[in-house]
């Protein structure tokens, strides 16, 4: 195979993924630059009275469920505020989300989320209303499914003797778009003297492609099903580790953030996959350093595969296959430390850069993996 042919095949296979990676890197750099000059948003205590959302008596007396829900909603709204790169603090922020995802994240029924939204709306903190989108439904395909089910019933003798179907006299109907509820719009207060309220313009946007979400398995129902299956398959994790953040809460916050936050630096954030490096070959330590932060963004059902992929890349680059499980453990520890609010990924990236420099300057270095482990342990 000639060199030109090899370059053409490589560009055809890997160029779309490389472009996506480069767009993601540019997006992060621009967001960090914009966030450095953005006004800091208010604390939740300045926008909402905690005593007003705490039940004084009854079944839920002195519980903080409603306050924790409001805090989580406000954190997602802050992520949207940072992604937009606003130069001044707005009165409110609008996000598109799913009530079912919030209910699963808070371990309550959707009816509880609706009730909490009404209480917070009475206080002026937020306003939530269902959003209508369009879905392409093929009536002809539905008719074919019904005809096939009827034919099977006739063959089985459930509907009596089978009779030949009359010839079709009408032209099949064209596919049409139906109006369906595809999510919920939230308007969240960002200034103490403001009363959150949705505007008519907020309902005119189509925030997600419902048909594409169904094909890709990105619907709220599919996410909840995958999360439940993952929770049953994996061993139980302590709810709290030395007073740290709840790992389950961190998992759901990442899901809600990816669902709600629109990144306008990317052409199509709905099709952006954090696990795009799985189709590429990690050729250097720099590739691993760039991909480490994707552990926090990948879907929970793909995190295990991504960590194994990164660990395998390190073993090939360092030439020490015996350290594959140690690398997996190191990456998992970094992930759990990130859920606790510590900059573990940044620390791991710095240590990988040091090991890369040591391999270049220290020709006698035989086990770079052992050097990396010792430095991370120290």
């Amino acid at each position: 195979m000639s060199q030109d042919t090899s370059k053409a095949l490589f560009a055809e296979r890997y160029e779309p993924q490389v472009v996506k990676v480069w767009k993601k890197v540019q997006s992060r750099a621009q967001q960090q630059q914009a966030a450095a000059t953005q006004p800091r948003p208010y604390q939740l205590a300045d926008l909402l009275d905690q005593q007003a959302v705490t039940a004084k008596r009854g079944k839920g007396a002195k519980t903080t469920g409603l306050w924790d829900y409001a805090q989580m909603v406000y954190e997602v709204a802050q992520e949207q505020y940072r992604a937009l790169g606003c130069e001044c603090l707005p009165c409110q922020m609008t996000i598109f989300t799913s009530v079912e995802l919030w209910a699963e994240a808070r371990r309550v029924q959707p009816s509880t989320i609706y009730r909490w939204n009404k209480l917070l709306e009475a206080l002026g903190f937020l306003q939530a209303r269902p959003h209508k989108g369009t879905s392409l439904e093929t009536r002809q395909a539905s008719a074919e499914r019904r005809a096939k089910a009827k034919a099977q019933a006739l063959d089985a003798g459930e509907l009596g003797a089978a009779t030949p179907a009359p010839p079709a006299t009408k032209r099949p109907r064209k596919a049409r778009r139906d109006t369906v509820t595809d999510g919920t719009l939230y308007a969240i207060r960002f200034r103490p003297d403001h009363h959150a309220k949705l505007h008519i313009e907020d309902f005119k946007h189509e925030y997600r492609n419902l048909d594409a979400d169904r094909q890709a398995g990105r619907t709220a129902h599919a996410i909840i099903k995958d999360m439940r299956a993952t929770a049953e398959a994996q061993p139980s994790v302590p709810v709290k580790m030395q007073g740290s953040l709840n790992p389950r809460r961190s998992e759901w916050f990442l899901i809600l953030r990816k669902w709600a936050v629109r990144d306008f630096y990317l052409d199509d954030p709905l099709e952006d996959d954090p696990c795009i490096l799985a189709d590429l070959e990690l050729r250097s330590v720099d590739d691993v350093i760039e991909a480490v932060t994707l552990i926090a963004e990948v879907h929970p059902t793909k995190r295990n595969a991504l960590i194994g992929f990164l660990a395998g890349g390190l073993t090939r680059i360092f030439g020490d296959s015996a350290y594959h499980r140690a690398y997996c453990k190191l990456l998992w520890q970094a992930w759990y430390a990130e859920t606790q609010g510590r900059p573990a990924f940044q620390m791991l990236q710095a240590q990988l850069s040091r090991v890369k420099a040591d391999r270049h300057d220290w020709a006698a270095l035989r086990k770079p993996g052992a050097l990396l482990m010792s430095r991370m342990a120290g």
Side-chain angles (χ1 to χ4, degrees), residues 280-323:
L280 297 176
E281 182 180 356
L282 299 177
R283 299 177 179 273
S284 64
V285 180
D286 293 332
D287 294 338
V288 179
I289 292 174
E290 184 179 348
V292 162
T293 55
L294 298 181
I295 298 175
E297 302 176 18
V298 74
H299 193 274
T301 58
K302 299 180 181 179
R303 183 169 291 118
N304 189 23
L306 177 60
I307 287 180
F309 172 71
L310 295 177
L314 286 175
T315 57
R316 290 193 304 271
I317 294 168
F318 290 157
D320 48 4
S321 57
Y323 281 87

Side-chain angles (χ1 to χ4, degrees), residues 99-301:
V99 170
E100 289 75 14
L101 291 179
W102 285 108
E104 191 70 18
R106 300 306 310 167
R107 292 183 175 178
V108 296
Q109 295 296 324
S111 58
T112 303
I113 300 296
Y114 290 121
R115 179 170 57 85
W116 284 351
N117 287 342
K118 289 182 178 180
L119 295 175
L120 295 174
E121 183 176 347
L123 298 173
F125 176 71
L126 64 77
Q127 187 180 44
R129 294 291 185 273
H131 179 267
K132 300 295 182 180
T134 58
S135 176
L136 187 61
E137 295 289 341
T138 307
R139 304 299 179 90
Q140 183 179 0
S142 178
E144 291 177 356
R145 289 194 298 268
R146 290 195 299 267
K148 183 178 180 180
K150 185 177 180 180
Q152 292 177 351
L154 290 173
D155 294 340
E158 298 178 0
L159 298 179
T163 57
T169 57
K170 294 183 179 180
R171 296 178 62 183
R173 294 183 180 181
K174 295 182 179 180
R176 54 176 295 186
R177 287 188 173 274
D178 294 335
T179 302
V180 295
T181 301
D182 57 357
T184 305
L185 282 176
Y186 278 58
I188 299 97
R189 171 196 292 168
F190 259 54
R191 292 194 178 185
D193 56 347
H194 180 71
H195 192 96
K197 185 176 180 61
L198 290 166
H199 301 285
I200 187 63
E201 291 81 8
D202 298 328
F203 296 91
K204 295 182 179 180
H205 298 290
E206 187 168 359
Y207 297 91
R208 297 186 72 93
N209 188 335
L210 187 58
D211 295 325
D213 285 346
R214 287 173 177 169
Q215 294 178 2
R218 291 192 298 252
T219 61
H221 175 74
I223 293 174
I224 293 173
K225 184 178 179 180
D226 291 342
M227 288 294 291
R228 289 177 178 176
T230 304
E232 294 177 358
Q234 292 181 351
S236 59
V237 180
V239 176
K240 287 225 172 182
M241 296 177 289
Q242 300 178 358
S244 63
L245 296 176
N246 189 338
R248 185 182 185 277
R249 184 187 187 279
S250 302
E251 291 275 3
W252 274 106
F253 179 77
L254 293 174
I255 293 174
L256 291 165
R257 180 191 180 282
K258 186 170 180 59
W259 177 279
V261 175
R262 290 169 292 154
D263 191 349
F264 289 98
Y265 295 113
L266 296 176
D267 293 337
D268 191 355
L270 305 184
E271 296 183 358
D272 181 54
D273 187 359
C275 199
I276 52 181
L277 286 180
D279 295 332
L280 297 176
E281 182 180 356
L282 299 177
R283 299 177 179 273
S284 64
V285 180
D286 293 332
D287 294 338
V288 179
I289 292 174
E290 184 179 348
V292 162
T293 55
L294 298 181
I295 298 175
E297 302 176 18
V298 74
H299 193 274
T301 58

Side-chain angles (χ1 to χ4, degrees), residues 66-88:
L66 179 54
W67 174 261
D68 295 338
Y69 168 67
Q71 186 174 19
M72 204 169 180
V73 170
Y74 187 56
E75 290 176 2
V76 175
Q78 289 183 24
E79 294 291 332
Q80 178 67 81
Y81 165 69
R82 298 186 185 98
L84 291 175
C86 303
E87 297 181 356
C88 61

